[in-house]
Amino acid sequence: MAELLYEGKAKQVYATDKADEYIIHNKDDATAGNGVKHDQFQGKGVLNNTISCIIFDMLEEAGVKTHLIEKINERDVLVKKVEIFALEVIIRNITTGSFCKRLGAPEGVVLEQPIFEMSYKNDDYGDPLINDDHAIAMGLASREEIAFIRQETLKINELLKAFFLELNLKLVDFKIEFGKTEDGEILLADEISPDSCRLWDVETNQKYDKDVFRQDIGDLIETYKAVLARMQK
């Protein structure tokens, strides 16, 4: 049995016989509100893994370097070992969620240009929003690393918007993470799935993401299956 190195809300990370490679196992857990709301949905890990691999393959083909090496099976992927930046990187294209709650902004406004945000990845403090100077002062990343992450994230946003628009979905916002290899290369890591993106139908604004779980407005598994079905057409 491989050594379990880390267990998060939705994933387990295992060692391999190669020092620079890990296996990520996708669990069936769903959480919201920094883990305050928690449930399990049979098959969720399979759906997340499948969707994320399709998206990462698309991004790789477009020149975005990721930690993904290969999909091993329906739940597990082989990835390059990276040290994850303690930063959650967020892009907002349309106003909703915490942005509206924090600022009193109306929901559903299409922004003239995307908003780039970072939060300190720390559940104990509620993943607070930080700026570049905070991140540098805390040693979370250098100014050059933040500049690269910002540039790469905006590129990823344009690629994802076009990808989802082909599926008749609007990319409202998303959260991603980056990691650094031992030789200093910065790679897109973690996952991109309806867990980490908000997706609205172009015509109806029906939600196709984890908000159906957060807000108790639909069936999470059927919602994720519907996203995958659009991707596989």
Side-chain angles (χ1 to χ4, degrees), residues 67-80:
H67 72 162
L68 180 64
I69 297 173
E70 64 176 344
K71 183 180 178 185
I72 300 171
N73 54 48
E74 59 183 13
R75 281 189 185 271
D76 301 326
V77 285
L78 184 67
V79 299
K80 297 169 188 170

Side-chain angles (χ1 to χ4, degrees), residues 92 96-103 117 198:
R92 300 185 183 278
T96 192
S98 62
F99 180 86
C100 295
K101 290 175 186 172
R102 287 197 316 269
L103 303 177
E117 295 178 348
R198 280 193 175 96

Side-chain angles (χ1 to χ4, degrees), residues 6 81-89 118-122 127 130 135-136 138-150 152-153 175-182 184-190:
Y6 167 81
K81 174 187 173 183
V82 294
E83 182 179 348
I84 297 288
F85 289 93
L87 297 170
E88 292 186 343
V89 181
M118 294 188 300
S119 67
Y120 175 34
K121 186 175 159 63
N122 189 314
D127 298 334
I130 59 174
I136 293 160
M138 294 179 65
L140 305 181
S142 69
R143 196 168 295 281
E144 293 73 25
E145 288 168 340
I146 292 169
F148 176 82
I149 287 170
R150 183 191 300 268
E152 200 74 349
T153 301
K175 172 187 70 68
I176 54 177
E177 296 181 14
F178 289 87
K180 189 162 65 169
T181 64
E182 286 188 352
E185 187 175 29
I186 297 175
L187 305 176
L188 175 66
D190 194 40

Side-chain angles (χ1 to χ4, degrees), residues 106-120:
E107 184 174 64
V109 176
V110 178
L111 297 162
E112 288 187 18
Q113 61 183 40
I115 293 172
F116 174 92
E117 295 178 348
M118 294 188 300
S119 67
Y120 175 34

Side-chain angles (χ1 to χ4, degrees), residues 17-229:
D17 55 6
K18 293 184 178 179
D20 60 348
E21 294 181 3
Y22 288 158
I23 290 171
I24 295 179
H25 175 79
N26 289 268
K27 303 191 294 183
D28 284 338
D29 297 64
T31 63
N34 282 330
V36 174
K37 186 174 184 179
H38 178 260
D39 207 341
Q40 287 190 323
F41 298 89
Q42 187 174 358
K44 174 180 173 289
V46 172
L47 288 164
N48 268 22
N49 191 43
T50 305
I51 290 168
S52 189
C53 284
I54 291 170
I55 293 172
F56 270 52
D57 285 344
M58 179 274 293
L59 292 174
E60 283 272 5
E61 287 181 17
V64 175
K65 293 186 177 180
T66 80
H67 72 162
L68 180 64
I69 297 173
E70 64 176 344
K71 183 180 178 185
I72 300 171
N73 54 48
E74 59 183 13
R75 281 189 185 271
D76 301 326
V77 285
L78 184 67
V79 299
K80 297 169 188 170
K81 174 187 173 183
V82 294
E83 182 179 348
I84 297 288
F85 289 93
L87 297 170
E88 292 186 343
V89 181
I90 301 150
I91 287 283
R92 300 185 183 278
N93 296 308
I94 300 171
T95 60
T96 192
S98 62
F99 180 86
C100 295
K101 290 175 186 172
R102 287 197 316 269
L103 303 177
E107 184 174 64
V109 176
V110 178
L111 297 162
E112 288 187 18
Q113 61 183 40
I115 293 172
F116 174 92
E117 295 178 348
M118 294 188 300
S119 67
Y120 175 34
K121 186 175 159 63
N122 189 314
D123 285 345
D124 292 341
Y125 298 104
D127 298 334
L129 277 178
I130 59 174
N131 62 28
D132 297 18
D133 291 339
H134 293 139
I136 293 160
M138 294 179 65
L140 305 181
S142 69
R143 196 168 295 281
E144 293 73 25
E145 288 168 340
I146 292 169
F148 176 82
I149 287 170
R150 183 191 300 268
Q151 178 184 1
E152 200 74 349
T153 301
L154 291 170
K155 175 182 176 182
I156 289 166
N157 182 45
E158 293 307 311
L159 292 166
L160 289 178
K161 280 200 299 184
F163 175 80
F164 284 117
L165 198 57
E166 288 283 319
L167 312 181
N168 214 37
L169 292 169
K170 293 186 278 191
L171 179 62
V172 176
D173 57 30
F174 64 91
K175 172 187 70 68
I176 54 177
E177 296 181 14
F178 289 87
K180 189 162 65 169
T181 64
E182 286 188 352
D183 61 6
E185 187 175 29
I186 297 175
L187 305 176
L188 175 66
D190 194 40
E191 69 168 44
I192 298 177
S193 75
D195 267 12
S196 57
C197 300
R198 280 193 175 96
L199 303 166
W200 294 354
D201 184 86
V202 167
E203 276 91 32
T204 66
N205 281 341
Q206 181 179 341
K207 296 177 179 180
Y208 282 87
D209 54 67
K210 198 166 72 169
D211 272 355
V212 300
F213 169 68
R214 291 187 188 98
Q215 301 171 11
D216 293 314
I217 55 173
D219 185 305
L220 182 137
I221 293 297
E222 291 307 313
T223 298
Y224 286 22
K225 282 182 177 176
V227 173
L228 180 58

